[in-house]
Amino acid sequence: MAEFNSKDTAAFKGVWVFCEQREGVIMSTSYQLLSEGRKLANDLGVELAGVVLGHNVKEDYLKALGGYGADKVYYCDHELLDVYTTDAYTKVICDLVEDKKPEIFLIGATNIGRDLGPRCAARLHTGLTADCTHLDVDVAKYKEFLKTTSTIDVDNTVFEENTNLKMTRPAFGGHLMATIICPRFRPQMSTVRPGVMQTQPYDDAGAAKTVIEKVAVQLSKDDINVEVVEVVKAAKQLVDLIGADVVVTVGRGISKDVEGGLKLAEELAGVLGGVVGASRACVDAGWITADHQVGQTGKTVHPRIYVALGVSGAIQHLAGMQDSECIIAVNKNESAPVFDVASYGIVGDLFKVTPMLIEAIRTLKASK
Amino acid sequence: MKCIVCVKQVPDTSGVVAVKEDGTMDRAAMATITNHDDLAAVEAALRIKDATGCKVVVVSMGPPPAEGMLRELLAMGADEAVLVSAREFGGSDTYATSQILAAAIKKVGVDNDDIIFCGRQAIDGDTAQVGPQIAEKLHVPQVSYVEKVEVNNGKVTVQRQLEDGYMTIKVNTPCLLTCLKELNEARYMSVGGIMECYSKPLSVFNYETLKDDPLIDVDTIGLKGSPTNVYKSFSPPVKGAGMMMEGADKATVDQLVGILNDKHII
Ligand SMILES: Cc1cc2nc3c(=O)[nH]c(=O)nc-3n(C[C@H](O)[C@H](O)[C@H](O)COP(=O)(O)OP(=O)(O)OC[C@H]3O[C@@H](n4cnc5c(N)ncnc54)[C@H](O)[C@@H]3O)c2cc1C
Ligand SMILES: Cc1cc2nc3c(=O)[nH]c(=O)nc-3n(C[C@H](O)[C@H](O)[C@H](O)COP(=O)(O)OP(=O)(O)OC[C@H]3O[C@@H](n4cnc5c(N)ncnc54)[C@H](O)[C@@H]3O)c2cc1C
């Protein structure tokens, strides 16, 4: 292998997506990233490859990555890659990057991706942008994006014409957006927030066409300084509030029929493709587990849509959700503070309004 | 055995966040606090000290006022503090930051049974990258997202959080662990600790102190040596004033869903 030099930017070509598997199943984040990677690869006129590390991963699962846009799949099979360890995964990925030299490398910002990404970037001597929510290589497309999301006077600003990856991410708890570049080193690496990129429809022809390349893995027990004793699944799956695109939150307003209120919230979250959140009042009352809590002492969320059902909007609650893109509040008290941050407010009984909302959205979706 | 803890002083982003005209953060206008995850890291180290009597060294890179925070950590029970501060270090991205912190940790000295602690994530930069990158630069194993730590006869066993559960991992020392704030409830400074904290050693590592380490190279530290650059920064879009709907019946709901559809929100 020739000497690897991350500064020799001209030597790098192609877009890669790390396709994480757990227990042999590819995580859905991988499909979102492949769909996004496909767009970047098209804009650059290069190949898109998925990278899978695992052991005895089903051929069908590998082929399916082609259905979401991968021209090629690098499959690294080894028994020491079955369960994630930083040491094993970093070694195998860095060996592969040094050999094949991709220009862009995207990794899902899962708890594992955010462990693997920085370790690889440090070893390869390149930059890594954390938890991105938007990616562009094309300057015109980037300008269009800025026009709709920032107050930057795009038409009177000079933008260098190049195809460097422009990686946009929230920082300072979502109070600031930053676009980061990595102009002098390759690959340009970024972890991408789960749930943000849209998965494109599955394409059978793409799956049939995709080429699977089995990579010869150099790995031994001596490379690994940890021992995974056990992997335990939470009895009930913890809700992924932070990565959610839509959050439907219930407050003490459901008290007269807790079970019914929770069921309505679940149904509404279901039709909108989201998850259920809760105010602390509900958690303290034991109606729902603490992983659902939004707010100062719970999770801070920035979903595209936040629906608050029977939540008063205490400052500690608002601290965790007021930066959501579109906030819809239903509360029977017209002076509830939640209406101060709401994009749309309905003054009414949540037990009457929510079923109508579910129905109306269902009808709309059916007509599309 | 000793514990080395990396601690960052951060602006308090839960209060008023001041953004300047040019889209950068007005740090001067904001209160500073000790990063939450890092307090959990300090507490984890102090609990190991309580059990074993080992030494705890806290390390922070930042401007000179970070000394105040380091004194507080000494008052909590840490034994020594290191402030890493130099103009040459300013503007570092996570790659460059980890080069510098790794060099500082090497200067403190890493023994075979040591544990290095970081927070998982700082609330300002929000990247969660510095811990794993320091581990790589020190060639030690890492475990991130740690929600439980046990040290028994020098053997380190941790629980690492996953989205849908956890992993139990045994890790060889020396190692680096990045801690979640849920790991524990940090103690307060004690009265005795406050009395003592000014007599405990606090060293300042500047460019001169660290420059002989191969990690400290003008091409890999500071603004110029950072692989990533901030290309543009801006405030997220401001929401327009909210709209209160008339009524609460089917017509109201249909109107709302119509608006959401027109705006491509659903
Ligand atoms: C240090 C600290 C930290 C805290 N952290 C958090 C936190 O992280 N998250 C959090 O949520 N809270 C937090 N709290 C608590 C917070 O102050 C509030 O007490 C809590 O958010 C109230 O929850 P709620 O809105 O569900 O209940 P309430 O304030 O009781 O509001 C219930 C609302 O439901 C409405 N309602 C009732 N019946 C109906 C109906 N049938 N249809 C429609 N609306 C109806 C009422 O008008 C009312 O507005 C914290 C408090 C402190 C002191
Ligand atoms: C808007 C904006 C966006 C940015 N985006 C990126 C990016 O995508 N990629 C990138 O490489 N850089 C980025 N940076 C630069 C980055 O924020 C700085 O390098 C910062 O010093 C370290 O990153 P962090 O705050 O994210 O720390 P994290 O990696 O989140 O910190 C994790 C832990 O490392 C330890 N630690 C971190 N910094 C210090 C310190 N100074 N002293 C002691 N211990 C410390 C603490 O234990 C902390 O809990 C960005 C900066 C800004 C202003």
Side-chain angles (χ1 to χ4, degrees):
Chain A
M1 207 184 291
E3 181 83 11
F4 177 74
N5 178 3
S6 61
K7 265 188 163 165
D8 181 12
T9 56
F12 291 73
K13 208 175 163 75
V15 177
W16 282 12
V17 169
F18 172 64
C19 299
E20 184 184 338
Q21 58 80 24
R22 292 192 197 171
E23 295 175 352
V25 181
I26 307 282
M27 311 240 323
S28 59
T29 323
S30 310
Y31 307 137
Q32 299 158 14
L33 265 60
L34 284 170
S35 299
E36 185 64 22
R38 184 70 260 167
K39 289 189 220 159
L40 300 174
N42 288 350
D43 285 348
L44 292 167
V46 298
E47 239 182 30
L48 174 71
V51 179
V52 180
L53 276 61
H55 187 46
N56 294 335
V57 176
K58 288 206 187 83
E59 169 113 6
D60 285 356
Y61 292 171
L62 301 174
K63 276 279 183 197
L65 300 176
Y68 295 101
D71 298 305
K72 186 173 212 171
V73 176
Y74 291 110
Y75 175 44
C76 309
D77 184 307
H78 196 286
E79 58 181 2
L80 294 173
L81 295 174
D82 189 18
V83 174
Y84 175 78
T85 60
T86 314
D87 291 336
Y89 272 56
T90 303
K91 176 166 195 305
V92 170
I93 283 183
C94 290
D95 285 351
L96 193 62
V97 168
E98 292 182 3
D99 183 26
K100 309 279 183 195
K101 303 188 181 65
E103 62 196 295
I104 292 177
F105 189 15
L106 309 179
I107 298 174
T110 62
N111 286 16
I112 281 173
R114 294 189 80 176
D115 184 83
L116 176 66
R119 186 94 195 198
C120 290
R123 187 166 302 177
L124 295 166
H125 192 167
T126 189
L128 173 65
T129 306
D131 208 19
C132 296
T133 53
H134 189 89
L135 299 166
D136 282 301
V137 287
D138 184 72
V139 175
K141 287 183 183 166
Y142 177 64
K143 285 183 173 168
E144 278 313 305
F145 161 71
L146 285 183
K147 277 185 186 165
T148 56
T149 58
S150 78
T151 49
I152 294 176
D153 182 2
V154 175
D155 293 326
N156 292 307
T157 308
V158 184
F159 292 85
E160 233 178 285
E161 281 296 333
N162 59 41
T163 54
N164 283 339
L165 184 61
K166 289 159 269 294
M167 304 168 264
T168 303
R169 60 174 298 245
F172 292 90
H175 292 284
L176 190 72
M177 301 296 290
T179 303
I180 311 280
I181 52 172
C182 175
R184 295 176 295 122
F185 297 93
R186 294 291 181 270
Q188 304 164 89
M189 290 181 61
S190 110
T191 58
V192 179
R193 183 175 290 192
V196 174
M197 303 301 176
Q198 292 278 332
T199 304
Q200 296 304 313
Y202 184 81
D203 170 30
D204 283 315
K209 239 180 16 214
T210 193
V211 179
I212 297 172
E213 184 176 323
K214 265 200 145 197
V215 178
V217 175
Q218 304 285 337
L219 195 63
S220 79
K221 273 217 156 85
D222 296 338
D223 294 318
I224 303 173
N225 283 296
V226 298
E227 181 198 336
V228 177
V229 181
E230 56 172 353
V231 182
V232 179
K233 284 227 162 181
K236 195 177 135 279
Q237 188 143 341
L238 292 182
V239 58
D240 182 17
L241 276 180
I242 293 175
D245 187 42
V246 176
V247 177
V248 178
T249 290
V250 290
R252 205 184 335 244
I254 61 167
S255 62
K256 73 175 180 202
D257 174 9
V258 172
E259 222 170 280
L262 282 173
K263 215 167 146 243
L264 284 173
E266 269 159 26
E267 242 181 282
L268 182 56
V271 292
L272 289 171
V275 299
V276 174
S279 73
R280 178 153 144 189
C282 300
V283 173
D284 287 348
W287 299 339
I288 191 163
T289 49
D291 53 312
H292 292 268
Q293 185 181 318
V294 174
Q296 189 185 316
T297 43
K299 303 267 166 51
T300 300
V301 299
H302 312 277
R304 218 164 41 74
I305 308 176
Y306 189 91
V307 186
L309 303 173
V311 175
S312 62
I315 184 83
Q316 296 91 349
H317 187 82
L318 300 185
M321 50 63 81
Q322 59 194 355
D323 293 329
S324 306
E325 276 177 44
C326 174
I327 298 171
I328 301 165
V330 181
N331 194 303
K332 66 178 184 190
N333 175 2
E334 64 175 349
S335 54
V338 69
F339 288 129
D340 296 342
V341 301
S343 326
Y344 302 97
I346 295 182
V347 179
D349 181 352
L350 74 92
F351 290 97
K352 296 206 178 97
V353 174
T354 315
M356 292 191 286
L357 209 48
I358 293 165
E359 185 55 38
I361 296 168
R362 270 210 187 110
T363 314
L364 174 76
K365 296 234 157 155
S367 73
K368 276 191 187 176
Chain B
M1 178 196 186
K2 68 176 171 311
C3 294
I4 302 174
V5 192
C6 296
V7 185
K8 187 179 185 193
Q9 193 170 43
V10 293
D12 184 358
T13 55
S14 71
V16 179
V17 172
V19 181
K20 287 192 271 194
E21 282 273 297
D22 62 358
T24 58
M25 203 50 53
D26 186 357
R27 285 174 188 262
M30 293 164 68
T32 55
I33 53 171
T34 308
N35 189 49
H36 304 298
D37 289 351
D38 305 3
L39 274 177
V42 171
E43 177 62 30
L46 291 176
R47 288 185 188 183
I48 296 173
K49 175 183 171 177
D50 293 344
T52 66
C54 75
K55 191 160 83 171
V56 174
V57 183
V58 286
V59 179
S60 185
M61 179 169 92
E67 181 182 334
M69 173 191 75
L70 288 171
R71 291 280 176 211
E72 288 178 15
L73 301 173
L74 292 171
M76 278 171 72
D79 301 287
E80 286 175 27
V82 175
L83 175 64
V84 184
S85 197
R87 225 193 24 242
E88 289 85 346
F89 302 157
S92 291
D93 74 350
T94 64
Y95 183 96
T97 299
S98 66
Q99 296 262 121
I100 301 162
L101 285 170
I105 291 167
K106 279 162 73 183
K107 186 93 191 163
V108 170
V110 180
D111 295 321
N112 270 337
D113 51 357
D114 285 354
I115 305 177
I116 301 153
F117 285 96
C118 281
R120 182 192 64 108
Q121 179 163 340
I123 61 167
D124 52 347
D126 270 349
T127 67
Q129 292 176 180
V130 171
Q133 293 188 321
I134 293 175
E136 171 64 20
K137 295 297 166 188
L138 293 174
H139 307 288
V140 302
Q142 80 199 39
V143 183
S144 55
Y145 287 83
V146 169
E147 52 184 13
K148 206 165 161 187
V149 186
E150 261 173 49
V151 181
N152 257 328
N153 299 325
K155 294 262 169 291
V156 181
T157 308
V158 301
Q159 193 165 304
R160 175 195 203 282
Q161 187 193 67
L162 291 174
E163 286 85 349
D164 56 352
Y166 63 86
M167 276 179 175
T168 306
I169 300 176
K170 282 192 188 150
V171 52
N172 297 343
T173 57
C175 62
L176 184 145
L177 308 178
T178 84
C179 305
L180 297 173
K181 68 169 186 282
E182 291 78 11
L183 176 63
N184 54 42
E185 193 81 46
R187 68 193 62 188
Y188 293 105
M189 295 179 274
S190 68
V191 177
I194 295 170
M195 310 268 289
E196 272 177 15
C197 74
Y198 281 91
S199 55
K200 287 183 177 173
L202 187 149
S203 334
V204 178
F205 289 2
N206 57 22
Y207 179 72
E208 278 301 310
T209 327
L210 298 177
K211 72 170 194 310
D212 293 335
D213 192 300
L215 290 170
I216 303 299
D217 175 333
V218 284
D219 288 333
T220 56
I221 61 161
L223 190 61
K224 207 176 134 263
S226 293
T228 68
N229 309 127
V230 176
Y231 179 62
K232 288 269 176 321
S233 67
F234 49 96
S235 306
V238 268
K239 281 192 289 287
M243 172 177 176
M244 291 301 283
M245 311 294 297
E246 293 270 340
D249 51 13
K250 186 166 184 315
T252 312
V253 170
D254 285 345
Q255 188 199 354
L256 174 61
V257 171
I259 295 173
L260 296 177
N261 184 38
D262 291 344
K263 293 199 166 180
H264 304 287
I265 296 171
I266 54 174

